[in-house]
Amino acid sequence: MIDALAGFEAGEADAPTASDLLDSIRSERAVENAAAARQLDLAARWADLHPPESTHTAAAFEVRGTEHEEPIAGDGCPLVAEFCVAELGTVLGISTTAAKKL
């Protein structure tokens, strides 16, 4: 059994009720959802900072192994610079594929 819960001390005379526990869980979920929404907003801003034009050089040809335009969503969505997706994934500790889906 759990000896102590965040915000509730073990051995208190007023042990948390089932309702208290559910309220705490609901509150923690709200904090988690708000943080996820902020992270999504920041990821979108990151993508906005890396349009395909940011990868173009003065040369009019493609060099193998260089950055290119990357589609991150369906038709109509803007493209981004390929390497910004990997950078985001690295910072978040997730794969490039997961960062692209974000």
Side-chain angles (χ1 to χ4, degrees), residues 31-51:
V31 169
E32 191 177 298
N33 288 342
R38 284 191 305 276
Q39 182 177 309
L40 182 59
D41 177 61
L42 293 169
R45 291 176 189 217
W46 175 253
D48 285 344
L49 288 175
H50 296 87

Side-chain angles (χ1 to χ4, degrees), residues 50-56 68-70 78-81:
H50 296 87
E53 297 80 29
S54 66
T55 67
H56 295 174
H68 65 274
E69 300 172 349
E70 181 74 16
L79 302 172
V80 299

